[in-house]
Amino acid sequence: AAKPKTIAKTTVTLDVKPWDDETNMDELTAGVKAIAMDGLLWGGSQLVAIGFGIKKLQINCVVEDDKVSMDDLQEAIEGLEDYVQSVDVAAMQKI
C-alpha cells in the first residue's frame, strides 16, 4: 500500500506594523484573519508595544508549503493599506 504523502507545513510568526498609534488594531487584526487561502490556518495573536503608544500585531499561522507562498500572504496583508504599514516574518519553523 502506498504511504500517504507527508504534507510539508511551516509555522510562521508575522509582525504586522500599523501606520501609527491611531490605527484601529481590532480592525487590523480582523482584516488579517479574514485573509483566506487554501493551506493557511490562522493561530493565536497578540499586540506587542513597540514604543510611542504604537502596538504591532504579532500573529501566528500554519501554512502548507506547497499551497501558500509567503510572498503572496505578505502582499495580501499589505493590501490592507489603510491599516498596515509593513509585514515582517518574525519566525519560521518547519513542522
Side-chain angles (χ1 to χ4, degrees):
K3 281 185 174 176
K5 183 176 179 256
T6 304
I7 297 172
K9 293 183 181 176
T10 305
T11 301
V12 184
T13 302
L14 296 170
D15 281 347
V16 183
K17 294 183 182 124
W19 289 107
D20 56 33
D21 62 337
E22 294 180 8
T23 300
N24 185 321
M25 296 305 289
D26 291 336
E27 290 177 12
L28 185 154
T29 303
V32 170
K33 288 188 170 186
I35 294 170
M37 295 178 166
D38 188 25
L40 167 66
L41 178 68
W42 291 111
S45 64
Q46 63 181 354
L47 298 178
V48 180
I50 54 177
F52 304 106
I54 300 173
K55 293 182 176 178
K56 68 181 177 185
L57 171 65
Q58 197 167 64
I59 188 163
N60 296 318
C61 61
V62 176
V63 296
E64 289 182 28
D65 297 350
D66 292 344
K67 293 183 179 178
V68 178
S69 148
M70 286 311 301
D71 289 341
D72 289 349
L73 179 56
Q74 284 181 274
E75 278 181 28
I77 296 171
E78 286 170 352
L80 302 167
E81 56 197 20
D82 290 347
Y83 302 105
V84 178
Q85 177 185 333
S86 67
V87 180
D88 296 305
V89 175
M92 288 179 89
Q93 184 174 0
K94 298 278 183 200
I95 52 175

